[in-house]
Amino acid sequence: MFRSAERRSPPPPSRGRSGGGWGGAILIFISVALPATAADKFPGIGRTATGAEVAAWDIDVRPDFKGLPSGSGSVAKGQEIWDARCANCHGTFGESNEIFTPIVGGTTKQDIERGRVASLTDQKQPQRTTMMKVATLSSLFDYIYRAMPWNEPRSLTVDETYAVLAHILNLAEVVPDDFVLSDKTMDSVQARMPNRFGMTKTHGLANARGKPDIQATACMKDCAEFVQIGSRLPDYARNAHNNLADQNRIWGPFRGADTSVAALAALSLSRSVALTQSAPSSAGEDAVPPAPTGKILYAKHHCAACHGLTNKLVGPSFRDVAKRYQGKSDVNVVLERKIKLGGAGAWGNIPMPPHATIEASDIASLVSWILEGKF
Amino acid sequence: MIRRKLGHLSYAPEGFVPAELVSAVTAHGIDDTRRAFLRSSFAAALLGSTVIATRSSAAEGELEILEKQPWQTTLGKPVAATPYGLPSVFEKNLQRRESPGLTRVSAASVAFTPLQGLFGIITPSGLHFERHHQGWVDIDPAKHRLMINGLVKQAKIFTMDDLLRLPSVSRIHFIECGANTGLEWGNVAVPTVQYTHGMLSCCEFTGVPLSVLLDQCGADLKKGKYVLAEGGDGSGMTRTIPMENALDDVFVAWGMNGEMLRPENGYPLRLVVPGVQGVSWVKWLRRIEVGDSPYASKDEAVHYIDLMPDGLHRQYTSIQECKSVITTPSGGQQLHATGFYNVSGMAWSGRGKIKRVDVSFDGGNHWRTARLESPVLSKAVTRFNIDWVWDGSPAILQSRAIDSTGYVQPPIRTLRAIRGSRSIYHNNAIQSWEVGSNGEVSNVQVG
């Protein structure tokens, strides 16, 4: 209850009244600083924050630079920090798309003059970078200081933050190589931000009373002349989110489709799906797949990652494999061994890795199916 | 629904009965020879000789009834065997899941709620969607503080002990990420409702109105037009909230569905901003600052901005407009029989209550009005249901919600006509599920 910080706050009036001479002085202070409305409502709850506490946490920087700490950092210094602490995620030039979306790219000198980024409309840039989007320089300073590096947030000093930001701005060709960014120069750089006029607050989505931009009607009858499907998932993505049968309840009317195999040809009760529940050990696998065929095994063992049926990918197409080995002696044995142990050199430089975990019977079925050549 | 009629074999354990026998029995009925075959099939597949030792047969009824089941004939587990309860082992498929390939690092990612398996309006705490920008943390509540500063008469610190002494409110609200359904602006991209709409949850939250705390600090409501909410984790998430909202229905919450918040959802303290996208519901809330202009934080200046066809970004888009989706049947599910189904879904609006939900089974040509289940609450999920007898022909299921302001949930083409297809955020289009003649349900877009 009586932690040191609390003792620094003005004591509540009751304590002031019972105290000595200085208590009276405090009481006067309170009556000036705190009108009776607020503090009296919930006596004993909350305490005054100290200046040091507010300073420790209140680090936000607004677009008008309120909250910007004094300090500075050069492009050169920023590059050192960047290479050591930032480049492994963001790439040497802030261009990397490996872990996060790119920071730099897609802006031009004309954008800097105009304050609008042209590649946001001409769609020549495949991905929107941070520098294409951000209108306010303060946002970058605030975020780098508050949360970067990603795995060590709050470890950069104010000067290091200025330096890293100077380096990013230099990579984006907003500031020259010898530039020093500081609380004094932020304003001048803001005037060169490539997308500084790229934001609008004119829309109805800021609060619940905003006027919607979309007006739809609730037609009930004969609403569409044609109902046409404009988009659906391609077949090759059937199992891209893994087997959907394992992501739905295993009993009841709405089970998941088994996407590890091809879709059912037709609604078929002779497939006799169990509405009763089997043992929990088979939970999620209660739908028994039809007899394995080559195509199912092709999907099951992810052959498609490297082999197309009729087109060359990383490895040869199965059609080409069938063509080359058709009619050769012991061909089944040779190919089964190649799948199991891997191989190299027959189709180019990229080796085929071994597949030790695929059952021999599956490999044999696959090979027979490939050699049949009926895809 | 497969008809449960004695003598039909459709509800026999799958794969135990040879297909030839099924068709033979279906065609000619059951006789002694076929019954013997049936028994041996069950025996071989199920329990060795135990089935044969019983006197049941398929013609007399279901083995589930005629046989004594293990749960009837054994002693059950004691109380508190699982001191914090867990779902049945039969429910383990319903989990939060990432969408493969969506993000590169799991600490800055999303785990989607399995809406396809949920009932009613409340999301179980363990299935509430997750979205973290810099990982999640489990903060010691004894060391957590809430600071209120800025344009206030007195900057104040509240401990969790302080906050839990204040008069609290408990309210049910939906929370939806602004990027929910964002993958589908251009085309169909993901297979199931978990991935199209699973950044949506709805819980009962308990906490103290922010207005109470602002009042306690003597906030300057004349100059203070905005508040900044800030998280205590490594990302230090910051979002600007108009003072109008802050004084209306925003609250500082510690409770969720009757227990404390889960750490993934901001334990011990998060902001609840009803009707507004999830990013503003700052988790691990440590600070509220009162200010006179917006803050343009990173997640208001680089992300959560909506790109329009003219190249301008809409900034500070916050409201989650009226939206609905059918959750059963939905994408990736498989109907196994024709007949009656209860089609069920969820509807919600950031502007108020749900007034009506219409459902179409023919891709939007004709619509019928669904039943709204109670409770129907403002800025909360409302459950709707509608009867459907499926005749086995292909169908396209859609739902369309209308809220208390009269706003009608739009088709995707209407949204695209105004906003293009690159805005990422705030896609509240009508969702279409195609039911194929093979019973498989697929995510499709109409038009």
Side-chain angles (χ1 to χ4, degrees):
Chain A
M1 190 66 201
F2 293 98
R3 271 165 260 152
S4 60
E6 292 199 349
R7 279 200 292 272
R8 278 201 293 275
S9 63
S14 61
R15 227 188 296 164
R17 272 195 293 276
S18 63
W22 62 269
I26 298 239
L27 189 59
I28 292 164
F29 165 75
I30 289 168
S31 67
V32 173
L34 277 182
T37 53
D40 290 346
K41 213 183 261 176
F42 304 109
I45 293 182
R47 65 164 173 85
T48 306
T50 70
E53 287 171 337
V54 173
W57 276 8
D58 184 359
I59 59 167
D60 60 80
V61 181
R62 286 198 322 203
D64 59 3
F65 298 126
K66 182 175 175 292
L68 188 68
S70 53
S72 68
S74 66
V75 170
K77 178 69 185 164
Q79 184 174 356
E80 273 174 40
I81 301 165
W82 183 269
D83 289 347
R85 307 189 60 187
C86 315
N88 53 355
C89 282
H90 296 294
T92 305
F93 304 104
E95 83 300 345
S96 174
N97 194 27
E98 288 297 308
I99 296 175
F100 302 106
T101 47
I103 295 174
V104 175
T107 60
T108 64
K109 285 200 165 67
Q110 288 76 38
D111 296 341
I112 291 172
E113 279 166 31
R114 205 166 67 106
R116 288 286 304 275
V117 169
S119 60
L120 288 172
T121 39
D122 66 20
Q123 305 198 32
K124 281 179 186 155
Q125 191 72 11
Q127 191 158 14
R128 277 171 268 170
T129 68
T130 299
M131 285 303 295
M132 283 167 64
K133 291 186 282 184
V134 66
T136 39
L137 185 56
S138 61
S139 310
L140 298 182
F141 184 95
D142 176 281
Y143 182 63
I144 296 167
Y145 186 56
R146 142 186 326 276
M148 287 293 108
W150 199 56
N151 55 345
E152 289 178 293
R154 294 303 303 276
S155 66
L156 294 174
T157 66
V158 167
D159 286 346
E160 284 171 337
T161 305
Y162 277 112
V164 167
L165 183 50
H167 180 59
I168 292 172
L169 293 164
N170 179 248
L171 289 172
E173 300 177 347
V174 174
V175 303
D177 294 350
D178 59 357
F179 193 75
V180 176
L181 187 66
S182 72
D183 51 306
K184 309 283 186 303
T185 57
M186 286 279 279
D187 215 12
S188 66
V189 180
Q190 174 59 45
R192 290 175 55 76
M193 290 294 279
N195 201 38
R196 62 188 175 277
F197 301 128
M199 296 289 162
T200 175
K201 293 170 197 164
T202 312
H203 57 75
L205 289 176
N207 63 56
R209 289 182 299 99
K211 187 177 180 306
D213 58 343
I214 307 289
Q215 265 88 40
T217 51
C219 166
M220 296 300 284
K221 225 173 87 177
D222 300 323
C223 306
E225 221 168 303
F226 303 103
V227 173
Q228 196 179 358
I229 290 182
S231 175
R232 61 167 72 246
L233 280 180
D235 281 345
Y236 65 77
R238 179 170 175 77
N239 207 35
H241 277 68
N242 304 315
N243 192 353
L244 302 179
D246 298 338
Q247 302 177 31
N248 280 273
R249 190 163 278 119
I250 56 173
W251 58 274
F254 304 113
R255 303 176 192 200
D258 186 347
T259 52
S260 69
V261 296
L264 300 177
L267 188 73
S268 166
L269 295 187
S270 70
R271 203 165 164 268
S272 133
V273 164
L275 286 181
T276 47
Q277 180 50 54
S278 46
S281 60
S282 68
E285 301 156 3
D286 64 326
V288 174
T293 66
K295 193 152 191 183
I296 291 164
L297 292 171
Y298 173 73
K300 179 181 167 192
H301 297 302
H302 306 292
C303 310
C306 298
H307 300 280
L309 294 177
T310 57
N311 56 315
K312 185 181 173 349
L313 297 172
V314 176
S317 76
F318 281 180
R319 188 174 60 191
D320 289 347
V321 174
K323 223 183 268 172
R324 177 180 288 194
Y325 289 94
Q326 203 59 257
K328 303 229 163 114
S329 59
D330 287 337
V331 58
N332 288 62
V333 179
V334 169
L335 287 182
E336 283 167 25
R337 193 186 308 136
K338 270 179 184 277
I339 293 175
K340 187 156 190 68
L341 303 176
W347 296 93
N349 295 330
I350 301 171
M352 160 121 168
H355 295 86
T357 55
I358 305 181
E359 284 171 31
S361 59
D362 277 8
I363 292 181
S365 309
L366 268 168
V367 166
S368 304
W369 172 68
I370 292 168
L371 291 173
E372 234 171 60
K374 289 178 190 158
F375 305 122
Chain B
M1 184 79 59
I2 295 173
R3 282 176 304 149
R4 289 179 171 260
K5 202 167 165 190
L6 289 185
H8 278 245
L9 292 177
S10 51
Y11 43 87
E14 182 180 7
F16 296 167
V17 183
E20 303 81 358
L21 185 57
V22 173
S23 40
V25 172
T26 309
H28 310 295
I30 198 155
D31 61 18
D32 284 341
T33 320
R34 294 188 187 109
R35 183 171 295 141
F37 270 115
L38 261 176
R39 281 183 176 161
S40 60
S41 299
F42 278 114
L46 263 180
L47 299 160
S49 59
T50 53
V51 171
I52 246 175
T54 70
R55 289 188 177 77
S56 66
S57 80
E60 286 160 6
E62 285 186 275
L63 294 178
E64 284 75 10
I65 298 167
L66 301 174
E67 294 286 313
K68 292 192 183 83
Q69 301 297 330
W71 45 88
Q72 283 179 286
T73 53
T74 52
L75 177 61
K77 291 174 186 158
V79 299
T82 316
Y84 194 102
L86 291 169
S88 159
V89 291
F90 299 101
E91 300 296 317
K92 69 179 184 185
N93 280 358
L94 296 168
Q95 298 185 352
R96 296 190 285 221
R97 293 174 195 274
E98 282 190 89
S99 177
L102 180 61
T103 54
R104 313 295 169 87
V105 276
S106 295
S109 190
V110 184
F112 296 84
T113 294
L115 301 176
Q116 69 274 20
L118 302 188
F119 311 109
I121 65 170
I122 296 292
T123 310
S125 296
L127 293 177
H128 188 300
F129 77 91
E130 291 180 76
R131 199 304 186 224
H132 314 305
H133 294 79
Q134 219 150 327
W136 62 272
V137 288
D138 200 353
I139 293 177
D140 178 353
K143 292 184 177 171
H144 191 69
R145 301 289 183 273
L146 176 66
M147 175 187 288
I148 296 187
N149 73 314
L151 297 175
V152 293
K153 288 204 176 70
Q154 194 162 38
K156 284 205 164 191
I157 304 291
F158 297 91
T159 61
M160 289 304 297
D161 297 18
D162 286 329
L163 294 171
L164 267 72
R165 285 168 67 184
L166 288 167
S168 63
V169 296
S170 293
R171 292 178 189 147
I172 295 171
H173 288 297
F174 78 83
I175 170 171
E176 183 184 21
C177 176
N180 202 24
T181 325
L183 291 165
E184 305 260 317
W185 268 106
N187 48 265
V188 167
V190 289
T192 71
V193 72
Q194 179 159 18
Y195 304 111
T196 57
H197 290 75
M199 285 195 279
L200 169 77
S201 295
C202 184
C203 296
E204 185 201 55
F205 294 95
T206 297
V208 60
L210 183 56
S211 57
V212 168
L213 297 173
L214 291 174
D215 186 39
Q216 184 78 351
C217 299
D220 182 343
L221 302 182
K222 236 182 200 162
K223 280 197 211 142
K225 296 293 179 207
Y226 300 90
V227 301
L228 180 76
E230 180 178 76
D233 61 318
S235 79
M237 169 61 68
T238 38
R239 285 288 303 187
T240 304
I241 293 152
M243 183 61 86
E244 188 188 339
N245 285 26
L247 296 178
D248 179 21
D249 53 5
V250 174
F251 59 107
V252 172
W254 52 82
M256 182 166 106
N257 291 341
E259 60 180 1
M260 277 297 295
L261 288 161
R262 298 288 173 94
E264 301 95 310
N265 303 119
Y267 183 93
L269 203 61
R270 88 172 305 170
L271 205 60
V272 170
V273 193
V276 168
Q277 62 187 353
V279 66
S280 288
W281 296 41
V282 173
K283 292 185 286 188
W284 310 292
L285 181 74
R286 77 163 188 197
R287 195 169 69 91
I288 296 284
E289 179 177 313
V290 180
D292 56 6
S293 75
Y295 290 82
S297 69
K298 185 263 289 178
D299 286 295
E300 298 170 332
V302 179
H303 304 301
Y304 302 91
I305 51 176
D306 309 16
L307 181 61
M308 294 296 111
D310 63 1
L312 280 174
H313 282 97
R314 288 180 176 172
Q315 197 175 20
Y316 303 112
T317 46
S318 298
I319 295 299
Q320 297 298 110
E321 294 185 299
C322 185
K323 188 168 172 178
S324 69
V325 66
I326 293 169
T327 50
T328 50
S330 60
Q333 292 182 334
Q334 172 79 54
L335 303 185
H336 286 294
T338 55
F340 182 86
Y341 287 94
N342 179 50
V343 171
S344 187
M346 306 158 88
W348 61 100
S349 168
R351 288 202 172 90
K353 288 185 183 181
I354 291 299
K355 193 167 77 183
R356 194 176 101 200
V357 177
D358 302 321
V359 172
S360 172
F361 294 91
D362 60 7
N365 196 24
H366 296 89
W367 298 80
R368 285 197 283 136
T369 297
R371 304 187 302 275
L372 299 187
E373 307 303 334
S374 62
V376 178
L377 300 170
S378 182
K379 304 176 185 178
V381 164
T382 296
R383 174 63 62 171
F384 66 86
N385 290 302
I386 189 166
D387 298 350
W388 183 42
V389 177
W390 183 43
D391 63 5
S393 56
I396 300 174
L397 276 56
Q398 300 179 328
S399 66
R400 176 183 67 196
I402 303 172
D403 72 13
S404 47
T405 71
Y407 177 96
V408 179
Q409 183 185 5
I412 183 73
R413 60 179 175 276
T414 309
L415 270 181
R416 283 193 192 124
I418 305 286
R419 300 189 194 165
S421 59
R422 297 187 298 146
S423 93
I424 300 176
Y425 302 97
H426 302 109
N427 179 356
N428 66 326
I430 289 172
Q431 170 69 45
S432 305
W433 305 119
E434 180 191 37
V435 182
S437 56
N438 64 349
E440 186 164 320
V441 189
S442 311
N443 182 9
V444 297
Q445 289 183 351
V446 170

